[in-house]
Amino acid sequence: MTPFRAGLLALLLTLLLDQASKLGLYFGTDLVLSQPWRFGPFADFVVVWNRGVSYGLFQQEGGFGRWLLVALSLAAALGLGLWMRRATSRLLGVALGLIVGGALGNAIDRAAYGAVFDFVHLHAGGWSWYVFNVADAAIVAGVIGLILDSLFPAGRHQRDPAPGDPAPRL
């Protein structure tokens, strides 16, 4: 499987899992009325509408901010998608696919509802992590993949030089 196809598969699976989990929990359960759902001493499902970006920064109440964030998400997805098209390793392709799928999943929420539906809350003792969703987790995993790809480039394949390319310098 080419790096691009692996990335495209990661993108589609991320988008599908993200939207299915959000729609299933919000419309298919009574989570809104019966929250929080406890999954042990460290995890809950809750309903949080995030009108900002990561960690709830830059909260947007008006329509302009909402659509600006949608446009930025789509622009980032387009740019990363073009990079994914040129990926030379499967790790890079999958990492970019995870980020693009997550960005599109959250952009769909923001366009449809004016905010992103977050529902996973991790905590332990007095420590509490922010509330997130499948798209957010995919974006974080994708960024980790980008870092790993940059640290361990040995698995990359070099492209064959095109006719007329200058000889590489040693």
Side-chain angles (χ1 to χ4, degrees):
M1 181 177 293
T2 66
F4 177 69
R5 286 182 187 261
L8 196 57
L9 181 61
L11 184 161
L12 293 172
L13 287 174
T14 297
L15 189 56
L16 180 68
L17 288 172
D18 177 63
Q19 290 299 299
S21 64
K22 291 172 181 174
L23 293 170
L25 280 171
Y26 193 74
F27 294 110
T29 71
D30 65 347
L31 178 62
V32 174
L33 300 173
S34 62
Q35 67 176 322
W37 289 0
R38 301 241 181 254
F39 290 97
F42 58 88
D44 301 333
F45 275 7
V46 296
V47 174
V48 173
W49 289 101
N50 183 357
R51 287 179 165 66
V53 294
S54 297
Y55 306 104
L57 297 172
F58 310 116
Q59 291 289 318
Q60 303 297 314
E61 294 300 325
F64 175 76
R66 166 192 182 181
W67 293 109
L68 178 64
L69 290 176
V70 169
L72 287 172
S73 294
L74 295 176
L78 178 62
L80 293 171
L82 291 172
W83 183 10
M84 185 175 72
R85 183 80 174 125
R86 297 185 357 232
T88 55
S89 74
R90 276 196 210 115
L91 176 59
L92 180 58
V94 169
L96 291 166
L98 289 170
I99 297 169
V100 172
L104 292 175
N106 283 342
I108 288 169
D109 282 13
R110 198 174 306 284
Y113 313 115
V116 175
F117 176 43
D118 292 330
F119 56 89
V120 179
H121 180 221
L122 299 179
H123 52 84
W127 178 80
S128 176
W129 191 245
Y130 72 105
V131 181
F132 62 97
N133 59 40
V134 172
D136 299 333
I139 291 168
V140 170
V143 169
I144 292 169
L146 290 179
I147 293 168
L148 290 174
D149 184 72
S150 71
L151 293 175
F152 304 106
R156 292 190 200 143
H157 298 99
Q158 295 294 330
R159 69 173 179 87
D160 292 331
D165 278 355
R169 293 186 179 176
L170 302 175

